[in-house]
Amino acid sequence: MAVDIKQIRAQFPALHQEVHGHPLIYFDNAATSQKPKMVVDAIAHYYNKENSNIHRGVHYLSQKATDKYELAREAIRRFINAPSTEEIIITRGTTEAINLVSSCLSKWLFQPGDEIIISAIEHHSNIVPWQMACEQSGAILKVIPVLDSGELDMNAYRNLLSDKTKFVTVNHISNALGTINPVEEITSLAHEKGALVLIDGAQATPHMSVDVQSLNADFYCFSAHKMYGPTGVGVLFGKKEILEKMPPYHGGGEMIKEVKFEGTTYNDLPFKFEAGTPNIVGGIGIEASIRFIEEIGIENIAQQEAELLAYATQRLKDIGGIRFIGEAKEKAGVISFIIDGVHPYDAGTILDKLGIAIRTGHHCAQPVMDRYSIPGTMRASFAVYNTKEEIDTFIEGVQKVKQLFT
Ligand SMILES: Cc1ncc(COP(=O)(O)O)c(C=O)c1O
């Protein structure tokens, strides 16, 4: 094995506890990951020693906090290989990043009759903002269908594209199915029609290497809390030439150069899109989470999780009576499934009593559940700190659920 699991697990205090009298098995990583000590320590250190507002003070602490925050921006830039820190906007998370883009483009780009393409396997946060954009601008929403396998129907996508297409957005990895979408191809096909592209990378950055330059999407966004960092902070990458033309999102401090009652001039990038005091400690937390990932190596993380996925999938198949929802060839460490005749909620409750945390329900992707005519799924999602031994215990739990209900 490429990673030292014992050493990695030692960095996560939350993993070393009992739940309902059993050692915790945490398989809800697609919702949020646990936090390593180095992230928690970086946050505590900032509040204990460095707390100050940034970008406006001449005093020591303010400059120190500003330097750290801007170093975090540089770490983010390097992490996704963006050309410049001007293109890195720190947001409250993926949801805010998408809302920023949809709201600004509604004011600036979309005209009645324009078409916005999303996919059938989006998280609600990459559906609702585009519905709102359509309401505001008169644009029309189109949806790329999903095949039974959980893969997007690329022929249907090609047919949806036209001169009316102004914008295309899909997730890099589906949180509900684990499908890794062919985002390079989706992006280049959209660009052929002159459309802009946003990739929702919330489920990708924790698990695979992301290079926004080779991807070539116009926008890419993600959340720190799914990649071992704090909640309430995330990133929007946007190409400079587009961000420069886009009107600002929120108005307030930071995003201005000069304010007069006659009119205001806006700040340079990226500050034009960062109104108000930002989540400073969140930025510092992201930097620590990137350091954590880089110390292990994203390729090693991907390999560990691929092994867990293959092992758990095979063991579930061996049980029998399991329906897998989403069996794409390119898949991340997410298994969505249903035990025949058992409601996912009941199964999840029993597993919880055994100390096993999985997610049950629609995973903020109700259209996916409608597509497969199911009320929800059980979802086990892995992180680098999970083990095959945990999967063995999980399989025993699933067998127990089956015995109880069938
Ligand atoms: C694919 C995807 N997009 C967007 C989001 C929203 O992320 P956040 O709640 O951190 O803004 C999630 C969260 O589960 C997700 O999985």
Side-chain angles (χ1 to χ4, degrees):
M1 201 180 293
V3 295
D4 182 349
I5 286 290
K6 236 176 143 186
Q7 193 266 337
I8 289 171
R9 288 182 69 84
Q11 298 180 57
F12 288 84
L15 296 177
H16 304 283
Q17 61 179 307
E18 294 206 337
V19 170
H20 304 308
H22 299 273
L24 169 67
I25 294 177
Y26 188 79
F27 283 173
D28 194 18
N29 296 287
T32 199
S33 63
Q34 296 301 337
K35 317 303 171 201
K37 237 177 130 307
M38 63 194 278
V39 168
V40 179
D41 287 349
I43 290 169
H45 181 77
Y46 172 78
Y47 275 138
N48 283 329
K49 295 278 184 193
E50 295 164 333
N51 175 54
S52 183
N53 211 329
I54 57 171
H55 293 146
R56 24 193 119 133
V58 289
H59 62 80
Y60 172 81
L61 278 186
S62 177
Q63 298 211 349
K64 189 158 185 163
T66 303
D67 287 350
K68 274 204 132 173
Y69 194 70
E70 291 307 320
L71 276 176
R73 200 188 303 275
E74 167 56 20
I76 296 164
R77 185 206 64 72
R78 201 188 57 240
F79 183 62
I80 57 170
N81 194 31
S84 154
T85 50
E86 290 172 298
E87 299 173 304
I88 303 295
I89 299 161
I90 300 180
T91 66
R92 285 198 295 131
T94 305
T95 302
E96 189 183 50
I98 296 170
N99 276 276
L100 187 161
V101 176
S102 70
S103 156
C104 294
L105 294 188
S106 300
K107 286 184 261 178
W108 169 60
L109 184 72
F110 300 143
Q111 300 294 325
D114 286 348
E115 293 181 356
I116 298 172
I117 298 180
I118 64 172
S119 91
I121 55 173
E122 297 308 306
H123 187 280
H124 293 161
S125 64
N126 204 27
I127 302 174
V128 184
W130 304 110
Q131 291 174 326
M132 289 160 66
C134 288
E135 273 170 28
Q136 281 158 24
S137 67
I140 297 157
L141 198 66
K142 300 272 168 178
V143 182
I144 310 167
V146 61
L147 304 169
D148 288 345
S149 62
E151 286 153 340
L152 293 181
D153 183 339
M154 290 296 285
N155 286 331
Y157 171 53
R158 282 189 193 87
N159 290 333
L160 281 179
L161 285 166
S162 76
D163 294 341
K164 290 190 195 148
T165 310
K166 274 281 158 13
F167 197 80
V168 174
T169 178
V170 296
N171 53 42
H172 200 159
I173 296 180
S174 155
N175 65 307
L177 306 177
T179 309
I180 303 177
N181 287 314
V183 285
E184 284 92 344
E185 191 184 352
I186 288 170
T187 300
S188 80
L189 287 168
H191 282 168
E192 281 173 21
K193 296 289 175 196
L196 296 178
V197 178
L198 178 145
I199 304 296
D200 166 0
Q203 296 292 340
T205 48
H207 308 293
M208 64 193 286
S209 163
V210 171
D211 179 333
V212 292
Q213 293 193 62
S214 67
L215 211 56
N216 199 26
D218 304 284
F219 302 98
Y220 193 96
C221 53
F222 55 98
S223 299
H225 71 95
K226 295 184 194 289
M227 43 180 272
Y228 312 104
T231 53
V233 66
V235 175
L236 171 67
F237 158 81
K239 284 185 183 164
K240 186 177 169 187
E241 61 270 24
I242 299 166
L243 292 179
E244 272 173 343
K245 285 188 217 140
M246 246 165 61
Y249 179 42
H250 291 152
E254 281 294 298
M255 54 78 74
I256 53 91
K257 240 182 202 154
E258 192 177 40
V259 179
K260 292 189 185 298
F261 287 120
E262 295 74 36
T264 289
T265 47
Y266 302 129
N267 208 342
D268 296 328
L269 294 176
F271 310 110
K272 176 174 137 188
F273 292 102
E274 293 185 353
T277 300
N279 182 352
I280 303 167
V281 77
I284 283 157
I286 296 189
E287 191 278 330
S289 73
I290 289 175
R291 242 185 308 128
F292 171 77
I293 289 174
E294 288 179 344
E295 276 176 18
I296 301 171
I298 192 77
E299 304 300 343
N300 292 330
I301 292 174
Q303 189 192 329
Q304 161 73 358
E305 292 172 356
E307 281 176 26
L308 294 173
L309 173 68
Y311 183 70
T313 304
Q314 189 53 52
R315 293 233 42 202
L316 279 170
K317 274 189 183 150
D318 292 345
I319 294 177
I322 304 274
R323 179 179 168 200
F324 291 89
I325 309 296
E327 294 185 277
K329 273 192 235 67
E330 297 294 327
K331 199 162 178 279
V334 172
I335 306 180
S336 249
F337 66 100
I338 296 175
I339 307 171
D340 289 344
V342 185
H343 195 284
Y345 179 84
D346 294 332
T349 307
I350 290 169
L351 290 179
D352 175 57
K353 293 283 174 281
L354 301 170
I356 302 165
I358 62 155
R359 182 137 299 231
T360 58
H362 55 63
H363 318 300
C364 291
Q366 282 177 358
V368 175
M369 304 304 131
D370 291 345
R371 162 65 177 78
Y372 290 94
S373 306
I374 49 175
T377 73
M378 300 166 68
R379 182 185 71 186
S381 53
F382 307 120
V384 68
Y385 44 63
N386 290 130
T387 66
K388 288 186 179 162
E389 291 72 31
E390 288 181 314
I391 290 171
D392 291 339
T393 310
F394 162 69
I395 293 293
E396 281 168 27
V398 172
Q399 277 165 330
K400 230 175 238 167
V401 171
K402 247 192 106 179
Q403 278 157 15
L404 270 172
F405 284 95
T406 55

